[in-house]
Amino acid sequence: MTCIEITAPKEDLEELRLLSEQAFRDAKNQARIKIYHVVQDSQEATNWGLSPATLQVFCSSVSTIVMVVNLFITIQEKKKKLPDVDLDSQRRIKINTSNGRELNLTMSGGITEEEIESCQNSIRDLIDDFLSIKDGQNLRNLGTSEIAKINSLFKDLEDRLLDIRILSSFVQKTNNKTICSSVFEKISLIEAIKISAKETFYLRVDDVRQCDHIFYVLEREDILGFYKDSTDIRIIPVENEFIGFVGFTIDMLPLFIKIKDNENFYLFDQFR
């Protein structure tokens, strides 16, 4: 899943968060947004001029990247016109896309026209690369032939994700005692998709590496968005081995919502 990180004074990011959340609702874009890492070190805070934080946005649409960065530029442009505003501190933009590209940009607090143009050109190049068809998986303009390609994509995903787990909790009462326990149960890919963004499921770290490219194609084609909940790895005992798993949730994107009701989709019966 594509991730945007913007580090700037916290008050700028609070405004950006509010504007972004409203824009997501209006455009019906799916994204997850949070602010974290307020710097405590006094020297670093002094270097920034104001207390900085990082706004993180996980998104499943390239239009979201453009929207968030443009809103950020708008806020900085507005601040330039205000009196008694410290414009010396830097603003950093980092974008990681699910096809493995990374973009790092640094802007001045005063944000010049040249910086804006350079930023927009860099993001345009990043998006052009993200949307380019280098793998033959062109699934745009849904039709019968595209359903066949999507079926093949999902079968490949099922073949690679053979061990999907969900943390289930149980309560047992024995001899007037209540015992709470939990276990990582196996579930199918279909079950993982159905619980969607409501609950975290876990994938083997090695399986995720094998599926990174499929996740990218699914995101690029507006089918499914795979969100990694965190970089924390859960160690789960599997057949006398200890295997690393990482948490994910899935968002159903517009094309999937359309194809799951298409009788030519090979998972059609399981979503009825």
Side-chain angles (χ1 to χ4, degrees):
M1 182 56 61
T2 293
C3 177
I4 310 167
E5 289 187 351
I6 297 179
T7 303
K10 188 177 180 183
E11 43 269 53
D12 290 11
L13 298 185
E14 289 289 359
E15 183 177 358
L16 178 59
R17 179 181 62 82
L18 293 173
L19 291 175
S20 297
E21 287 174 348
Q22 182 60 53
F24 296 153
R25 287 192 292 269
D26 293 344
K28 297 182 178 179
N29 278 346
Q30 295 179 338
R32 301 179 190 189
I33 184 167
K34 66 178 181 179
I35 296 177
Y36 72 99
H37 181 58
V38 177
V39 174
Q40 300 298 327
D41 181 81
S42 58
Q43 183 58 49
E44 187 171 355
T46 300
N47 292 341
W48 275 85
L50 293 170
S51 179
T54 296
L55 178 103
Q56 188 178 68
V57 182
F58 285 100
C59 57
S60 54
S61 166
V62 292
S63 62
T64 304
I65 300 173
V66 177
M67 181 174 64
V68 172
V69 175
N70 281 342
L71 284 172
F72 179 66
I73 290 173
T74 299
I75 291 171
Q76 301 310 308
E77 287 278 78
K78 181 178 68 175
K79 290 193 71 171
K80 282 201 305 183
K81 300 175 183 177
L82 298 176
D84 303 322
V85 174
D86 179 11
L87 299 175
D88 292 336
S89 58
Q90 291 181 335
R91 277 76 169 148
R92 300 170 189 159
I93 299 173
K94 178 180 178 182
I95 301 171
N96 286 290
T97 63
S98 57
N99 66 334
R101 286 288 305 278
E102 181 177 297
L103 177 63
N104 287 281
L105 300 168
T106 300
M107 300 175 128
S108 66
I111 193 167
T112 65
E113 292 299 324
E114 291 77 15
E115 286 178 314
I116 293 174
E117 184 177 359
S118 176
C119 173
Q120 291 176 335
N121 288 339
S122 297
I123 291 173
R124 191 178 301 114
D125 291 342
L126 185 76
I127 290 173
D128 287 345
D129 177 81
F130 181 85
L131 294 176
S132 65
I133 309 299
K134 300 175 181 177
D135 45 32
Q137 296 280 12
N138 186 358
L139 309 178
R140 299 286 177 186
N141 302 317
L142 181 63
T144 304
S145 62
E146 284 72 24
I147 283 286
K149 292 178 182 178
I150 293 172
N151 285 342
S152 176
L153 196 63
F154 271 88
K155 288 175 183 176
D156 191 15
L157 193 62
E158 280 192 317
D159 288 343
R160 293 171 186 263
L161 296 179
L162 297 176
D163 195 352
I164 306 173
R165 306 277 177 138
I166 188 170
L167 184 61
S168 299
S169 299
F170 301 92
V171 177
Q172 296 175 313
K173 291 186 177 181
T174 307
N175 298 327
N176 297 321
K177 291 183 179 180
T178 301
I179 301 174
C180 297
S181 59
S182 58
V183 62
F184 282 94
E185 291 186 304
K186 268 193 173 185
I187 61 172
S188 68
L189 175 62
I190 306 307
E191 290 171 313
I193 295 173
K194 284 182 176 179
I195 64 175
S196 192
K198 298 176 183 177
E199 195 165 351
T200 298
F201 59 89
Y202 295 84
L203 304 176
R204 290 191 184 212
V205 173
D206 289 343
D207 290 352
V208 171
R209 292 193 188 103
Q210 292 186 44
C211 292
D212 274 345
H213 179 68
I214 300 176
F215 294 165
Y216 155 59
V217 174
L218 290 169
E219 178 190 346
R220 187 190 69 200
E221 303 299 336
D222 278 342
I223 300 173
L224 291 176
F226 281 76
Y227 290 93
K228 186 182 290 185
D229 273 1
S230 75
T231 56
D232 295 338
I233 295 176
R234 292 277 196 129
I235 304 300
I236 301 175
V238 180
E239 298 175 354
N240 299 320
E241 288 186 76
F242 290 95
I243 307 295
F245 284 72
V246 65
F248 275 84
T249 53
I250 296 178
D251 273 349
M252 297 183 191
L253 303 180
L255 186 53
F256 182 82
I257 292 170
K258 187 175 181 180
I259 64 170
K260 73 182 180 66
D261 295 324
N262 187 314
E263 61 184 11
N264 292 314
F265 182 41
Y266 95 108
L267 298 174
F268 170 74
D269 289 335
Q270 299 183 59
F271 283 95
R272 294 179 68 178

